[in-house]
Amino acid sequence: MLKYLVILLDDTATSFCHYAVSKTEKRPIAPETLRNGILFAMKENLNVQFVYPDYALPAEYETIVESIDHVKIVSSHCESSDLKKAADIVVFNGWDDMENFAWNSEKAYVLRTPKAELFERCDTLKTLLGKAGRLNVVITDVETFTETDFEKYKRALASLSESIEKRYIDGQAPQLNVLTDRMMLEAMNNCNAGDEVITLAPDGRVYVCPAFYYEQAYSIGSPTDGTDIKNPQLYKLAYAPICRHCDAYQCKRCVWLNRKTTLEVNTPSHEQCVTAHLERNESRRLLGNIRKVGQFMPETDIPETDYLDPFDNHDKW
Ligand code: SF4
């Protein structure tokens, strides 16, 4: 069932996930389309998330945006400091702004980073854990991971995990998506684009997610004509032949990455699965270590496994 509508306010609205924004020309969504999108969300009872560009939109837009409860997603490069303060989620497209940013410990942040920089700058990330309410790391080139990268990612996760453990012992509870989410989850918590989340783009069309818009993939309707997803079951976990057997509950299960790497929206790549399992396994170790020092943690069970790609375990399904 649909629950969320993401609205891109401009063709250059920041990415907050794996995809890159391929458009460079400013093109704000038409005010009429924006109003129709809001009306559609109201009728369908959807939570709205507005994604902003880095330049200031005309005042008329703020009036329309404020006509509905919503979440604001804003980049750290946004020209408007008021908007950055008002944002519910601030996105760092790279590491440049992070050290001198005015962090708010109540707020959620997204760091979009290539793998190589994450491996190199892991120590910087540790210092930021105490500054954010929540930090989501999104690796922008997951599909290029090699065996050597898996080893480097494993080491980076172990190092971050040690830092999180120390903070727990000090009475803090930092949230880092790739390590702490799995400790709290008892079921899949994926992106769910095309199933629970859809996106309205500045061209007035609705897409499975922003990546499908920027990659010029198929549209699934419009706010005025309604939506019609072909083979909607393919976006559901129950019809994902590998993922439905998996317990890397924190995995994004990104349908756009699936389509890009395997040509099937419900079939993940080896790289997506192994990175998610390295996270899952380090979360398991972290959970055990925090429990050992007597800190209260949820009853989550993360069993030991002997595979990193669920496909390698398919004979036991
Ligand atoms: S790790 Fe692989 S199988 Fe598991 S949810 Fe993620 S993409 Fe699906």
Side-chain angles (χ1 to χ4, degrees), residues 9-10 96-97 101 155 170 180-181 201 216 274 299:
L9 293 174
D10 189 272
D96 295 352
D97 293 348
F101 196 80
R155 284 200 293 274
D170 286 347
T180 60
D181 283 8
Q216 298 177 330
V274 175
E299 292 297 308

Side-chain angles (χ1 to χ4, degrees), residues 94-151:
W95 297 71
D96 295 352
D97 293 348
M98 294 188 81
E99 278 175 74
N100 298 319
F101 196 80
W103 293 77
N104 177 337
S105 60
E106 304 287 309
K107 211 169 260 193
Y109 298 86
V110 172
L111 167 63
R112 299 183 64 248
T113 176
K115 62 189 178 188
E117 285 187 61
L118 177 63
F119 303 154
E120 266 168 35
R121 304 179 76 165
C122 191
D123 285 345
T124 307
L125 208 54
K126 288 186 206 166
T127 65
L128 301 174
L129 284 173
K131 296 185 180 178
R134 173 176 176 81
L135 192 51
N136 281 358
V137 171
V138 177
I139 303 175
T140 50
D141 49 4
V142 174
E143 68 278 16
T144 67
F145 264 69
T146 62
E147 290 303 317
T148 312
D149 294 326
F150 291 141
E151 275 311 309

Side-chain angles (χ1 to χ4, degrees), residues 188 242-243 246 248 251 253 268 272-273 276-277 310:
M188 278 289 186
I242 304 175
C243 302
C246 178
C251 178
R253 205 167 67 77
Q272 188 170 189
C273 290
H277 276 75

Side-chain angles (χ1 to χ4, degrees), residues 148-164:
T148 312
D149 294 326
F150 291 141
E151 275 311 309
K152 288 183 184 170
Y153 191 41
K154 190 174 171 185
R155 284 200 293 274
L157 289 169
S159 174
L160 287 164
S161 168
E162 201 178 304
S163 172
I164 291 172

Side-chain angles (χ1 to χ4, degrees), residues 188 190 237 240-254 258 266-277 308-311 317:
M188 278 289 186
N190 319 125
L237 179 63
I242 304 175
C243 302
R244 71 178 181 217
H245 296 285
C246 178
D247 77 348
Y249 297 151
Q250 87 295 343
C251 178
K252 273 189 182 292
R253 205 167 67 77
C254 175
N258 289 354
N266 60 351
T267 306
S269 67
H270 174 70
E271 292 78 16
Q272 188 170 189
C273 290
V274 175
T275 51
H277 276 75
L308 286 173
D309 184 339
F311 189 70
W317 295 348

